[in-house]
Amino acid sequence: MFLPSWRKLNSSLVLSGVTLLCLLAIALLQVPHLNQLLSKSKNASDADLKKEMEAERVRLNLIKNLPSLGFNNLIADWVMLNFLQYFGDDPARDRTGYELSPEYFDIIVQRDPKFLDSYIFISSSVTMYAGKPEKSVALMEKGLKSLSPQLPGRYYYVWRYKGIDELLFLGKPKAAQRSFEMAAQWARLRSDPESQNVATLSERTATFLSKNPNSKLAQAGAWSMVLGNAVDDRVRKLAITRIEALGGKVNITPEGRFEVTLPKKD
C-alpha cells in the first residue's frame, strides 16, 4: 500500500518539476529576446519585426498547450508580464499593430479567469487596439462562467467592461443593458461604498438604455468609464473626444484627475 502511494507522489513531483523547468527554460530564453526587441525595435526592419511577431505567436501557442499541473495562476501571471512588454513596445506596435493581444488573453482567461486586473486590458487592447470587440466580449463571457458575486473580488467590473464594449463598439444596446443590470446585481451584494456606488451607476445606465437604446447619456457615461480605466494617453484622448462629441465636458483638476460632466439631455 505504501509503495504505490510513494510512487504516485514521486511521479507527481517529477512532472511538477519538469513543468517548472520548462517554464524557467522558456523564460530564460525569452528575457534576452524581449529586451532586445524593446531596445532595437526603433531601428528594426519591417521584415525583422514580422519575424519577431511570428516567433511570439509560436511561443504563445506553445504556452497555451503546456500542461499546468497546478501552476495555472503562475502561467497567467507570467503571460501577463509578457503582454505588458508587448503592449508597451510602442515603436514596434505602431508598425505591426496589436494582432497578438487576443492570444495573450486567450491564455490568461483560460488559466486564471479570476485574474480581475487582466480584464481592464482585454477591454482596451483587444477592443480598441486590435480592433476585435467581438473577441473581447467573448473572452469576458468565457471568464464570467467561472466567476460569481460570492467570490472575494469586485468581479462586477467584468460585467461593466463587457457592457461598455457591447454599447460602444458592437452596437448592441440590449446586450449592454443586461450586462449593466448584472453588474448592478453583483455589486449590490457587497456593502462597501465603492460597490454600492457602482451598483447605482450601473442601474442608471441600464435604465437609460431601456428607455432609449441610443442614449447619449449612456454612451457618454460609458466613455467616462473608459477614461477612468484608460491604460495610456491614446485611450484617454479618444475617450475625451467622444465624450465632448456627445455633448459632455471633461476638465482636468490641478491634481491631474478627470472630472466629467455628462450631457444634460439625450
Side-chain angles (χ1 to χ4, degrees), residues 201 204 208 216-225 227-228 239-253 257-266:
L201 292 174
R204 188 179 303 164
F208 288 151
K216 289 184 178 180
L217 282 170
Q219 292 178 49
W223 277 114
S224 71
M225 296 177 219
L227 178 61
I240 291 172
T241 299
R242 295 298 175 86
I243 291 169
E244 292 176 344
L246 289 164
K249 294 182 180 180
V250 179
N251 294 316
I252 303 177
T253 68
R257 289 183 285 107
F258 294 100
E259 291 182 344
V260 177
T261 303
L262 297 178
K264 294 181 179 179
K265 297 181 180 180
D266 269 331

mmCIF file of all heavy atoms in Angstrom, residues 201 204 208 216-225 227-228 239-253 257-266:
data_model
loop_
_atom_site.group_PDB
_atom_site.id
_atom_site.type_symbol
_atom_site.label_atom_id
_atom_site.label_comp_id
_atom_site.label_asym_id
_atom_site.label_seq_id
_atom_site.Cartn_x
_atom_site.Cartn_y
_atom_site.Cartn_z
ATOM 1 N N LEU A 201 -24.669 53.449 -10.357
ATOM 2 C CA LEU A 201 -24.311 53.904 -11.701
ATOM 3 C C LEU A 201 -24.723 52.891 -12.761
ATOM 4 O O LEU A 201 -25.203 53.260 -13.838
ATOM 5 C CB LEU A 201 -22.793 54.146 -11.780
ATOM 6 C CG LEU A 201 -22.252 55.325 -10.960
ATOM 7 C CD1 LEU A 201 -20.728 55.343 -11.020
ATOM 8 C CD2 LEU A 201 -22.815 56.647 -11.477
ATOM 9 N N ARG A 204 -28.442 53.008 -13.274
ATOM 10 C CA ARG A 204 -28.803 54.220 -14.020
ATOM 11 C C ARG A 204 -28.542 54.027 -15.515
ATOM 12 O O ARG A 204 -29.377 54.390 -16.355
ATOM 13 C CB ARG A 204 -27.999 55.402 -13.479
ATOM 14 C CG ARG A 204 -28.412 56.759 -14.031
ATOM 15 C CD ARG A 204 -27.579 57.850 -13.404
ATOM 16 N NE ARG A 204 -27.700 57.837 -11.945
ATOM 17 C CZ ARG A 204 -26.854 58.461 -11.119
ATOM 18 N NH1 ARG A 204 -25.820 59.136 -11.626
ATOM 19 N NH2 ARG A 204 -27.042 58.417 -9.815
ATOM 20 N N PHE A 208 -31.304 54.077 -18.595
ATOM 21 C CA PHE A 208 -31.179 54.916 -19.787
ATOM 22 C C PHE A 208 -31.355 54.071 -21.051
ATOM 23 O O PHE A 208 -32.070 54.438 -21.972
ATOM 24 C CB PHE A 208 -29.813 55.607 -19.830
ATOM 25 C CG PHE A 208 -29.640 56.705 -18.816
ATOM 26 C CD1 PHE A 208 -28.381 57.010 -18.310
ATOM 27 C CD2 PHE A 208 -30.718 57.451 -18.370
ATOM 28 C CE1 PHE A 208 -28.203 58.021 -17.384
ATOM 29 C CE2 PHE A 208 -30.558 58.463 -17.439
ATOM 30 C CZ PHE A 208 -29.300 58.751 -16.945
ATOM 31 N N LYS A 216 -27.498 59.180 -25.482
ATOM 32 C CA LYS A 216 -26.206 59.868 -25.431
ATOM 33 C C LYS A 216 -25.661 59.878 -24.002
ATOM 34 O O LYS A 216 -24.447 59.835 -23.799
ATOM 35 C CB LYS A 216 -26.354 61.296 -25.948
ATOM 36 C CG LYS A 216 -26.594 61.404 -27.442
ATOM 37 C CD LYS A 216 -26.625 62.852 -27.884
ATOM 38 C CE LYS A 216 -26.824 62.964 -29.404
ATOM 39 N NZ LYS A 216 -26.855 64.389 -29.831
ATOM 40 N N LEU A 217 -26.583 59.976 -23.039
ATOM 41 C CA LEU A 217 -26.150 59.950 -21.644
ATOM 42 C C LEU A 217 -25.450 58.631 -21.318
ATOM 43 O O LEU A 217 -24.392 58.610 -20.681
ATOM 44 C CB LEU A 217 -27.361 60.136 -20.724
ATOM 45 C CG LEU A 217 -27.905 61.557 -20.569
ATOM 46 C CD1 LEU A 217 -29.235 61.525 -19.834
ATOM 47 C CD2 LEU A 217 -26.908 62.419 -19.820
ATOM 48 N N ALA A 218 -26.046 57.523 -21.766
ATOM 49 C CA ALA A 218 -25.447 56.206 -21.508
ATOM 50 C C ALA A 218 -24.119 56.072 -22.217
ATOM 51 O O ALA A 218 -23.143 55.553 -21.660
ATOM 52 C CB ALA A 218 -26.408 55.107 -21.949
ATOM 53 N N GLN A 219 -24.047 56.546 -23.461
ATOM 54 C CA GLN A 219 -22.802 56.447 -24.217
ATOM 55 C C GLN A 219 -21.703 57.314 -23.598
ATOM 56 O O GLN A 219 -20.557 56.880 -23.470
ATOM 57 C CB GLN A 219 -23.035 56.859 -25.666
ATOM 58 C CG GLN A 219 -23.916 55.893 -26.447
ATOM 59 C CD GLN A 219 -24.174 56.363 -27.861
ATOM 60 O OE1 GLN A 219 -23.251 56.736 -28.575
ATOM 61 N NE2 GLN A 219 -25.435 56.375 -28.270
ATOM 62 N N ALA A 220 -22.070 58.532 -23.228
ATOM 63 C CA ALA A 220 -21.085 59.418 -22.599
ATOM 64 C C ALA A 220 -20.630 58.842 -21.264
ATOM 65 O O ALA A 220 -19.448 58.924 -20.903
ATOM 66 C CB ALA A 220 -21.675 60.820 -22.405
ATOM 67 N N GLY A 221 -21.578 58.249 -20.516
ATOM 68 C CA GLY A 221 -21.215 57.606 -19.258
ATOM 69 C C GLY A 221 -20.265 56.451 -19.473
ATOM 70 O O GLY A 221 -19.321 56.248 -18.701
ATOM 71 N N ALA A 222 -20.506 55.678 -20.535
ATOM 72 C CA ALA A 222 -19.620 54.559 -20.847
ATOM 73 C C ALA A 222 -18.233 55.051 -21.231
ATOM 74 O O ALA A 222 -17.211 54.477 -20.822
ATOM 75 C CB ALA A 222 -20.223 53.715 -21.968
ATOM 76 N N TRP A 223 -18.181 56.136 -22.004
ATOM 77 C CA TRP A 223 -16.869 56.687 -22.365
ATOM 78 C C TRP A 223 -16.145 57.249 -21.145
ATOM 79 O O TRP A 223 -14.906 57.207 -21.074
ATOM 80 C CB TRP A 223 -17.020 57.778 -23.437
ATOM 81 C CG TRP A 223 -17.126 57.233 -24.821
ATOM 82 C CD1 TRP A 223 -18.191 57.295 -25.662
ATOM 83 C CD2 TRP A 223 -16.104 56.530 -25.534
ATOM 84 N NE1 TRP A 223 -17.904 56.661 -26.844
ATOM 85 C CE2 TRP A 223 -16.634 56.190 -26.806
ATOM 86 C CE3 TRP A 223 -14.795 56.149 -25.225
ATOM 87 C CZ2 TRP A 223 -15.893 55.487 -27.757
ATOM 88 C CZ3 TRP A 223 -14.054 55.445 -26.175
ATOM 89 C CH2 TRP A 223 -14.602 55.120 -27.420
ATOM 90 N N SER A 224 -16.902 57.754 -20.181
ATOM 91 C CA SER A 224 -16.255 58.231 -18.951
ATOM 92 C C SER A 224 -15.648 57.071 -18.174
ATOM 93 O O SER A 224 -14.613 57.220 -17.519
ATOM 94 C CB SER A 224 -17.253 59.005 -18.078
ATOM 95 O OG SER A 224 -18.219 58.146 -17.506
ATOM 96 N N MET A 225 -16.285 55.876 -18.259
ATOM 97 C CA MET A 225 -15.695 54.681 -17.648
ATOM 98 C C MET A 225 -14.409 54.298 -18.370
ATOM 99 O O MET A 225 -13.418 53.907 -17.746
ATOM 100 C CB MET A 225 -16.685 53.512 -17.704
ATOM 101 C CG MET A 225 -17.958 53.704 -16.899
ATOM 102 S SD MET A 225 -19.069 52.272 -17.148
ATOM 103 C CE MET A 225 -20.657 53.075 -17.206
ATOM 104 N N LEU A 227 -12.468 56.346 -19.898
ATOM 105 C CA LEU A 227 -11.487 57.347 -19.483
ATOM 106 C C LEU A 227 -10.906 57.005 -18.116
ATOM 107 O O LEU A 227 -9.687 57.081 -17.901
ATOM 108 C CB LEU A 227 -12.145 58.732 -19.448
ATOM 109 C CG LEU A 227 -11.269 59.902 -18.996
ATOM 110 C CD1 LEU A 227 -10.079 60.083 -19.919
ATOM 111 C CD2 LEU A 227 -12.102 61.188 -18.946
ATOM 112 N N GLY A 228 -11.756 56.599 -17.197
ATOM 113 C CA GLY A 228 -11.298 56.270 -15.854
ATOM 114 C C GLY A 228 -10.423 55.037 -15.796
ATOM 115 O O GLY A 228 -9.563 54.920 -14.923
ATOM 116 N N ALA A 239 -11.286 58.859 -25.525
ATOM 117 C CA ALA A 239 -12.444 58.953 -24.646
ATOM 118 C C ALA A 239 -12.899 60.405 -24.485
ATOM 119 O O ALA A 239 -14.102 60.700 -24.546
ATOM 120 C CB ALA A 239 -12.122 58.345 -23.286
ATOM 121 N N ILE A 240 -11.956 61.313 -24.292
ATOM 122 C CA ILE A 240 -12.304 62.732 -24.137
ATOM 123 C C ILE A 240 -12.982 63.258 -25.401
ATOM 124 O O ILE A 240 -13.989 63.972 -25.341
ATOM 125 C CB ILE A 240 -11.040 63.552 -23.802
ATOM 126 C CG1 ILE A 240 -10.553 63.200 -22.386
ATOM 127 C CG2 ILE A 240 -11.324 65.045 -23.910
ATOM 128 C CD1 ILE A 240 -9.203 63.800 -22.035
ATOM 129 N N THR A 241 -12.430 62.897 -26.562
ATOM 130 C CA THR A 241 -13.015 63.325 -27.839
ATOM 131 C C THR A 241 -14.451 62.848 -27.982
ATOM 132 O O THR A 241 -15.342 63.608 -28.395
ATOM 133 C CB THR A 241 -12.173 62.801 -29.018
ATOM 134 O OG1 THR A 241 -10.845 63.327 -28.926
ATOM 135 C CG2 THR A 241 -12.778 63.206 -30.354
ATOM 136 N N ARG A 242 -14.705 61.576 -27.634
ATOM 137 C CA ARG A 242 -16.047 61.016 -27.777
ATOM 138 C C ARG A 242 -17.012 61.628 -26.767
ATOM 139 O O ARG A 242 -18.184 61.866 -27.097
ATOM 140 C CB ARG A 242 -15.988 59.494 -27.599
ATOM 141 C CG ARG A 242 -15.199 58.796 -28.684
ATOM 142 C CD ARG A 242 -15.809 58.988 -30.068
ATOM 143 N NE ARG A 242 -15.018 58.418 -31.129
ATOM 144 C CZ ARG A 242 -15.096 57.152 -31.529
ATOM 145 N NH1 ARG A 242 -15.956 56.318 -30.940
ATOM 146 N NH2 ARG A 242 -14.344 56.718 -32.512
ATOM 147 N N ILE A 243 -16.570 61.875 -25.548
ATOM 148 C CA ILE A 243 -17.431 62.499 -24.540
ATOM 149 C C ILE A 243 -17.864 63.889 -25.001
ATOM 150 O O ILE A 243 -19.041 64.260 -24.919
ATOM 151 C CB ILE A 243 -16.713 62.582 -23.174
ATOM 152 C CG1 ILE A 243 -16.541 61.177 -22.580
ATOM 153 C CG2 ILE A 243 -17.501 63.469 -22.201
ATOM 154 C CD1 ILE A 243 -15.614 61.136 -21.383
ATOM 155 N N GLU A 244 -16.900 64.658 -25.509
ATOM 156 C CA GLU A 244 -17.211 66.014 -25.957
ATOM 157 C C GLU A 244 -18.109 65.997 -27.189
ATOM 158 O O GLU A 244 -18.981 66.856 -27.341
ATOM 159 C CB GLU A 244 -15.908 66.767 -26.229
ATOM 160 C CG GLU A 244 -15.109 67.045 -24.939
ATOM 161 C CD GLU A 244 -13.764 67.705 -25.196
ATOM 162 O OE1 GLU A 244 -13.309 67.662 -26.371
ATOM 163 O OE2 GLU A 244 -13.177 68.243 -24.241
ATOM 164 N N ALA A 245 -17.910 65.012 -28.083
ATOM 165 C CA ALA A 245 -18.756 64.905 -29.277
ATOM 166 C C ALA A 245 -20.202 64.597 -28.907
ATOM 167 O O ALA A 245 -21.133 64.965 -29.639
ATOM 168 C CB ALA A 245 -18.206 63.824 -30.203
ATOM 169 N N LEU A 246 -20.412 63.946 -27.768
ATOM 170 C CA LEU A 246 -21.758 63.598 -27.297
ATOM 171 C C LEU A 246 -22.395 64.721 -26.485
ATOM 172 O O LEU A 246 -23.530 64.591 -26.013
ATOM 173 C CB LEU A 246 -21.702 62.321 -26.457
ATOM 174 C CG LEU A 246 -21.421 61.038 -27.246
ATOM 175 C CD1 LEU A 246 -21.008 59.912 -26.297
ATOM 176 C CD2 LEU A 246 -22.650 60.619 -28.053
ATOM 177 N N GLY A 247 -21.660 65.819 -26.315
ATOM 178 C CA GLY A 247 -22.202 66.960 -25.589
ATOM 179 C C GLY A 247 -21.733 67.085 -24.157
ATOM 180 O O GLY A 247 -22.195 67.963 -23.418
ATOM 181 N N GLY A 248 -20.817 66.228 -23.730
ATOM 182 C CA GLY A 248 -20.272 66.307 -22.375
ATOM 183 C C GLY A 248 -19.026 67.171 -22.317
ATOM 184 O O GLY A 248 -18.559 67.691 -23.333
ATOM 185 N N LYS A 249 -18.513 67.344 -21.136
ATOM 186 C CA LYS A 249 -17.299 68.135 -20.935
ATOM 187 C C LYS A 249 -16.340 67.393 -20.015
ATOM 188 O O LYS A 249 -16.773 66.670 -19.107
ATOM 189 C CB LYS A 249 -17.639 69.507 -20.337
ATOM 190 C CG LYS A 249 -18.449 70.409 -21.255
ATOM 191 C CD LYS A 249 -18.698 71.767 -20.602
ATOM 192 C CE LYS A 249 -19.502 72.670 -21.526
ATOM 193 N NZ LYS A 249 -19.756 74.005 -20.892
ATOM 194 N N VAL A 250 -15.061 67.579 -20.257
ATOM 195 C CA VAL A 250 -14.026 66.951 -19.427
ATOM 196 C C VAL A 250 -13.063 68.025 -18.955
ATOM 197 O O VAL A 250 -12.495 68.764 -19.765
ATOM 198 C CB VAL A 250 -13.246 65.864 -20.196
ATOM 199 C CG1 VAL A 250 -12.170 65.253 -19.304
ATOM 200 C CG2 VAL A 250 -14.183 64.786 -20.714
ATOM 201 N N ASN A 251 -12.900 68.136 -17.659
ATOM 202 C CA ASN A 251 -11.922 69.047 -17.059
ATOM 203 C C ASN A 251 -10.867 68.244 -16.317
ATOM 204 O O ASN A 251 -11.158 67.180 -15.759
ATOM 205 C CB ASN A 251 -12.614 70.013 -16.085
ATOM 206 C CG ASN A 251 -13.559 70.970 -16.780
ATOM 207 O OD1 ASN A 251 -13.233 71.527 -17.825
ATOM 208 N ND2 ASN A 251 -14.742 71.152 -16.206
ATOM 209 N N ILE A 252 -9.647 68.763 -16.331
ATOM 210 C CA ILE A 252 -8.548 68.124 -15.608
ATOM 211 C C ILE A 252 -8.217 68.990 -14.390
ATOM 212 O O ILE A 252 -7.922 70.176 -14.527
ATOM 213 C CB ILE A 252 -7.303 67.959 -16.501
ATOM 214 C CG1 ILE A 252 -7.661 67.157 -17.750
ATOM 215 C CG2 ILE A 252 -6.180 67.262 -15.732
ATOM 216 C CD1 ILE A 252 -6.516 67.011 -18.734
ATOM 217 N N THR A 253 -8.295 68.406 -13.214
ATOM 218 C CA THR A 253 -8.028 69.137 -11.976
ATOM 219 C C THR A 253 -6.531 69.375 -11.827
ATOM 220 O O THR A 253 -5.712 68.727 -12.497
ATOM 221 C CB THR A 253 -8.534 68.348 -10.756
ATOM 222 O OG1 THR A 253 -7.725 67.171 -10.592
ATOM 223 C CG2 THR A 253 -9.989 67.945 -10.944
ATOM 224 N N ARG A 257 -6.632 64.762 -12.006
ATOM 225 C CA ARG A 257 -7.805 63.903 -12.111
ATOM 226 C C ARG A 257 -8.779 64.461 -13.151
ATOM 227 O O ARG A 257 -8.836 65.666 -13.384
ATOM 228 C CB ARG A 257 -8.509 63.791 -10.755
ATOM 229 C CG ARG A 257 -7.724 62.973 -9.737
ATOM 230 C CD ARG A 257 -8.479 62.814 -8.421
ATOM 231 N NE ARG A 257 -8.457 64.042 -7.627
ATOM 232 C CZ ARG A 257 -9.487 64.840 -7.462
ATOM 233 N NH1 ARG A 257 -10.645 64.552 -8.020
ATOM 234 N NH2 ARG A 257 -9.385 65.925 -6.714
ATOM 235 N N PHE A 258 -9.556 63.553 -13.761
ATOM 236 C CA PHE A 258 -10.531 63.945 -14.762
ATOM 237 C C PHE A 258 -11.903 64.116 -14.121
ATOM 238 O O PHE A 258 -12.354 63.256 -13.372
ATOM 239 C CB PHE A 258 -10.626 62.880 -15.865
ATOM 240 C CG PHE A 258 -9.380 62.753 -16.690
ATOM 241 C CD1 PHE A 258 -8.471 61.738 -16.446
ATOM 242 C CD2 PHE A 258 -9.110 63.655 -17.708
ATOM 243 C CE1 PHE A 258 -7.317 61.611 -17.194
ATOM 244 C CE2 PHE A 258 -7.955 63.544 -18.471
ATOM 245 C CZ PHE A 258 -7.051 62.520 -18.213
ATOM 246 N N GLU A 259 -12.542 65.243 -14.416
ATOM 247 C CA GLU A 259 -13.906 65.480 -13.969
ATOM 248 C C GLU A 259 -14.796 65.565 -15.199
ATOM 249 O O GLU A 259 -14.592 66.412 -16.082
ATOM 250 C CB GLU A 259 -13.997 66.782 -13.164
ATOM 251 C CG GLU A 259 -13.290 66.702 -11.812
ATOM 252 C CD GLU A 259 -13.429 67.993 -11.015
ATOM 253 O OE1 GLU A 259 -13.804 69.037 -11.632
ATOM 254 O OE2 GLU A 259 -13.166 67.974 -9.809
ATOM 255 N N VAL A 260 -15.771 64.656 -15.272
ATOM 256 C CA VAL A 260 -16.616 64.560 -16.456
ATOM 257 C C VAL A 260 -18.012 65.107 -16.148
ATOM 258 O O VAL A 260 -18.632 64.742 -15.151
ATOM 259 C CB VAL A 260 -16.737 63.092 -16.923
ATOM 260 C CG1 VAL A 260 -17.683 62.994 -18.126
ATOM 261 C CG2 VAL A 260 -15.364 62.535 -17.276
ATOM 262 N N THR A 261 -18.484 66.001 -17.007
ATOM 263 C CA THR A 261 -19.856 66.498 -16.943
ATOM 264 C C THR A 261 -20.609 65.884 -18.102
ATOM 265 O O THR A 261 -20.270 66.135 -19.280
ATOM 266 C CB THR A 261 -19.901 68.031 -17.026
ATOM 267 O OG1 THR A 261 -19.119 68.597 -15.982
ATOM 268 C CG2 THR A 261 -21.335 68.531 -16.919
ATOM 269 N N LEU A 262 -21.611 65.057 -17.802
ATOM 270 C CA LEU A 262 -22.356 64.387 -18.855
ATOM 271 C C LEU A 262 -23.324 65.350 -19.528
ATOM 272 O O LEU A 262 -23.711 66.371 -18.953
ATOM 273 C CB LEU A 262 -23.121 63.196 -18.261
ATOM 274 C CG LEU A 262 -22.272 62.086 -17.647
ATOM 275 C CD1 LEU A 262 -23.181 61.008 -17.064
ATOM 276 C CD2 LEU A 262 -21.335 61.478 -18.668
ATOM 277 N N PRO A 263 -23.714 65.058 -20.779
ATOM 278 C CA PRO A 263 -24.697 65.920 -21.457
ATOM 279 C C PRO A 263 -26.005 65.967 -20.669
ATOM 280 O O PRO A 263 -26.409 64.982 -20.045
ATOM 281 C CB PRO A 263 -24.883 65.233 -22.819
ATOM 282 C CG PRO A 263 -24.387 63.844 -22.628
ATOM 283 C CD PRO A 263 -23.307 63.915 -21.602
ATOM 284 N N LYS A 264 -26.675 67.115 -20.699
ATOM 285 C CA LYS A 264 -27.889 67.289 -19.902
ATOM 286 C C LYS A 264 -29.085 66.565 -20.514
ATOM 287 O O LYS A 264 -29.985 66.149 -19.811
ATOM 288 C CB LYS A 264 -28.198 68.784 -19.760
ATOM 289 C CG LYS A 264 -27.146 69.535 -18.948
ATOM 290 C CD LYS A 264 -27.523 71.011 -18.818
ATOM 291 C CE LYS A 264 -26.478 71.759 -17.978
ATOM 292 N NZ LYS A 264 -26.801 73.196 -17.840
ATOM 293 N N LYS A 265 -29.102 66.421 -21.831
ATOM 294 C CA LYS A 265 -30.239 65.788 -22.489
ATOM 295 C C LYS A 265 -29.754 64.742 -23.492
ATOM 296 O O LYS A 265 -28.659 64.832 -24.018
ATOM 297 C CB LYS A 265 -31.085 66.831 -23.237
ATOM 298 C CG LYS A 265 -31.727 67.875 -22.332
ATOM 299 C CD LYS A 265 -32.546 68.842 -23.168
ATOM 300 C CE LYS A 265 -33.214 69.907 -22.271
ATOM 301 N NZ LYS A 265 -34.015 70.846 -23.068
ATOM 302 N N ASP A 266 -30.652 63.768 -23.733
ATOM 303 C CA ASP A 266 -30.355 62.764 -24.776
ATOM 304 C C ASP A 266 -30.644 63.362 -26.147
ATOM 305 O O ASP A 266 -31.523 64.174 -26.312
ATOM 306 C CB ASP A 266 -31.222 61.512 -24.589
ATOM 307 C CG ASP A 266 -30.507 60.490 -23.702
ATOM 308 O OD1 ASP A 266 -29.275 60.478 -23.713
ATOM 309 O OD2 ASP A 266 -31.203 59.735 -23.002
#
